[in-house]
Amino acid sequence: SFETSDLSKWLEEHAYEYGFVLRYPKRMASSTNHVYDSHCYRYVGKKIAKKIYKDNSCIEEYKQKEASK
């Protein structure tokens, strides 16, 4: 399956370097209201993608954090 492929592992580790984040990451279903999906990536720009990756979060958590500033 794609989830266990070398490509999927590479994307999870490096997509943020190109401005992409995994749209529905594992353990984030309560925040995204969507089950894990290993092949769905979203472009958010390099700066935001790096923040989301470093915080091990998701787009919804990033937006919530930014709104509370």
Side-chain angles (χ1 to χ4, degrees):
S1 76
F2 180 74
E3 179 181 349
T4 59
S5 71
D6 289 340
L7 176 57
S8 179
K9 292 173 188 173
W10 188 91
L11 282 170
E12 285 190 28
E13 294 175 12
H14 298 281
Y16 80 93
E17 297 168 2
Y18 301 91
F20 290 87
V21 294
L22 183 59
R23 183 64 187 95
Y24 304 111
K26 290 181 181 176
R27 302 174 302 281
M28 299 286 175
S30 62
S31 296
T32 63
N33 292 319
H34 195 285
V35 295
Y36 170 68
D37 192 341
S38 64
H39 65 276
C40 188
Y41 281 80
R42 175 78 42 99
Y43 183 79
V44 295
K46 290 181 180 181
K47 183 178 175 183
I48 293 172
K50 185 175 182 178
K51 288 181 183 180
I52 291 171
Y53 178 80
K54 297 293 181 187
D55 290 343
N56 195 27
S57 64
C58 61
I59 293 172
E60 287 77 9
E61 290 178 353
Y62 170 80
K63 287 180 178 180
Q64 185 177 32
K65 186 176 177 181
E66 289 298 305
S68 68
K69 286 186 176 180

